[in-house]
Every structure is written in structure tokens, then in C-alpha cells.
Amino acid sequence: MDLAQEEGETTMVTLEEILRLGDESAGDTILFGPISQILVNGRGDILVSEGQRSPLVHAFEADGTYLSQVGGQGQGPGEYRFLNGGVIGAADSVYLWEFVTNRILIYDPDDFSYAHSIEIKDDGEKQFNTLIGAIENGWIMTKSLPSFLESGDGSMTINDDPHYELIQIDRDGSYGTDLLGTVDENEAIYDIQESGGFGYADVPFGRSPSWAVGPDDMFYYGWSDAIEIITASADGSTRDTIRYEHDPVPITSAEITEAMPKNPYYRELVEGREPHETKPAFQTFVVDEMSRVWVKLSSPENAIEAEWLILSRESHAVGRTTLPVAVDIEVIRGGYAYGVHQVDGIDPMVVVYEIQE
């Protein structure tokens, strides 16, 4: 596959901020806890999920006017306690995943009222983790073994091959054995202590998976060690890889020091591992309505802005833009980019940009 990467072939794309949600300094009355995800429907309504620690989903009109919650905390119809992802369907139905009860909760596209739920049964070993996207015949989800496994004598062992299986779920909650693919999990160091306790430490600047569902039921996934994003159709008929060479960003000694665990036990575990010398090739990516992949590249130390590289399905660099390092774009739809601004010590915000090309 040709890699047409000359700088002259790329276009600088401007993103003009037009809306913020959760900005205390501007007098916003709704402030968010850590934002785990945002979703956007065809009307431009914005759904903001605060994740597992505060499992609430808030809906706003495109201009920021508060609409309602989607479901709520609890165990009644349409309520949830253990959210782990949600998606918008082609007809704007809202699907939320409650991972402990293994249910996809379905809400009306017009008023977000609860409709019904579908149970996804696991096989007793591997568990479903995340709802990635809605497709014509169902959904795409991840499935994996736990990080710690129980052996025959009841003792705990470490799963030495941590990876996600990417699988299609049918509308009735059933699924087969065919996989769309596999991708490694977040890099971490797992440990079982002599006392029987167990835990893990994140690897400083560790590699991690990213995924998205684009137009025409195409699925995109990759591991951040390199810009190699696999594209696969949900029916298995099409499969390809987007590849792009990048200049590795070195990690400074100050950055390593800052990233080390504060707990002495886990710090020792991390220090016993060969450290990364360069940062991941990318931080995250999102797919737009033209099947272009917007890739957030890693930034050098003390950078204020991050570069986003826009790639075609043919691996051509067709555009570039920059945004504050603290912003991750999560949705591109209808000429707008929707991102989360999230840094320690500052209330997280949703930021909306108009795309000018």
C-alpha cells in the first residue's frame, strides 16, 4: 500500500470553539465529575456520562440547554449502577451497557425514556467489558479473561496474555465464536503478594487499545505502539490496515519520575521493568462521517497543544489540526467535533468545535 505522506498533500483544519459545558468560571450550573464518555445524536443533542464512580448520563440540546437524565441510578426499570460505555444507534436510539448485570439498556431516541433491555450471557470464563458501537444487526463489544485467574487448587494466577476479543452481538443478545479481531489490553504490571493480596500498577507511558465504529458498519481498532489501525467490516468481508510512519517522541527523565507510582511496593515493581524510551505513537483516535481517522499524536514534554493527524482509509495524510493537550475529541458529526477537556485539579468540561476546512 502506498503511503502518500508528503506535507504538501495535507490541509490545515481549523477547529473553532463554539460551546463549553461544565465551565464553572462561566457560571454553568451543572458541573461534572470525571467524564467517561460523550455521545451525540442526529439532532446534535449531547449525552455526557460520568462513568462508574458517579453513574449518571445527562442529556443537553445542541446549544447546551439541559434536557434530562438518561435513566438513573438504582435497580428499577431503566436504572443502572455499573455503567461501562454507551453508543448511539443509526436511528438515534441510546444504548447503555451495565457490565455487572450484562445488560444493554435501550432508550427512546426522542425523549430518552426507557424502552427495554437485552441480556448478554457470558460463557463463564470470559466477560464482556465495553460496548463499542451499534451496527445494523446489533452491536460490537469487547470480551476478555479477568486479569487474575483462579487455578484448580483455588490459588490465584496472573493472566499472562491479556487481550480483548472484539465480537459482534446480535439484536437478541446472542453471539457466535467468530471474532472481528483481537487487541492487547492496557500495559500494566500485575502482582500477587505472598499474603494472597493482588493488584496492578500502570506502566509509565504504557501502550493501550483504541477503537471506533465508523460509517457503513466499519470497525476500526489499534494498539498505540504504532500508527497501525485495522479496519474491518462487521460481516467480515473487508479487512485492511491504515499505516503511517511517525517520529517517536522521547520520554524525559523528569517525565518518568513524575509518572512513577507513589506506593513504594508498586514503584519497585515498575522499576524492575525495562522502561519505555519513547511515548506511544498516539493517544486516541476518532472516525468522522467521511471514514477519515483523526489521530491524536503524543506530545513532547511541556507541550501546550497536541497535533491531530487526519488519515484516509488509504493511509494518506489528508489533514492536520491542533488542540489543547487536555482535550480528547470523542465524536465528529455534522461538521462539529465534540471533545472532553479533563485535567487533574480542574472540573472536566465538554467542548464543542465547528470544523472549518
Side-chain angles (χ1 to χ4, degrees), residues 74-261:
Q75 301 181 58
E79 296 179 332
Y80 41 74
R81 292 181 295 162
F82 310 102
L83 285 185
N84 193 23
V87 297
I88 301 288
D92 279 349
S93 291
V94 179
Y95 306 101
L96 301 181
W97 169 245
E98 188 178 38
F99 67 95
V100 171
T101 61
N102 277 11
R103 295 184 303 157
I104 295 177
L105 305 170
I106 303 172
Y107 301 86
D108 185 87
D110 295 321
D111 62 7
F112 307 120
S113 60
Y114 174 65
H116 60 100
S117 65
I118 294 174
E119 182 179 1
I120 313 298
K121 295 186 180 296
D122 59 37
D123 59 12
E125 291 184 344
K126 297 171 185 175
Q127 55 196 11
F128 285 100
N129 317 105
T130 303
L131 179 63
I132 296 175
I135 57 177
E136 182 179 1
N137 296 321
W139 302 274
I140 296 175
M141 299 188 68
T142 67
K143 193 178 186 185
S144 69
L145 287 171
S147 302
F148 298 94
L149 307 173
E150 186 174 350
S151 60
D153 61 4
S155 62
M156 300 299 292
T157 61
I158 297 172
N159 175 15
D160 60 4
D161 184 21
H163 66 272
Y164 292 112
E165 295 180 350
L166 310 170
I167 192 166
Q168 177 181 331
I169 309 296
D170 294 332
R171 289 285 176 182
D172 61 0
S174 63
Y175 55 92
T177 58
D178 293 339
L179 302 179
L180 293 174
T182 62
V183 62
D184 288 347
E185 297 183 25
N186 293 336
E187 273 191 300
I189 300 173
Y190 298 92
D191 180 63
I192 298 177
Q193 303 172 12
E194 293 182 1
S195 63
F198 49 90
Y200 73 95
D202 291 324
V203 173
F205 302 97
R207 281 43 175 163
S208 60
S210 292
W211 40 59
V213 173
D216 303 321
D217 286 357
M218 290 298 296
F219 179 49
Y220 300 69
Y221 65 95
W223 207 56
S224 63
D225 191 52
I227 302 178
E228 293 187 358
I229 300 169
I230 298 172
T231 63
S233 59
D235 63 7
S237 62
T238 304
R239 188 177 184 87
D240 209 338
T241 302
I242 298 171
R243 293 186 176 91
Y244 195 87
E245 295 181 4
H246 77 288
D247 294 325
V249 178
I251 303 169
T252 68
S253 58
E255 288 176 311
I256 283 289
T257 299
E258 177 66 23
M260 292 296 286

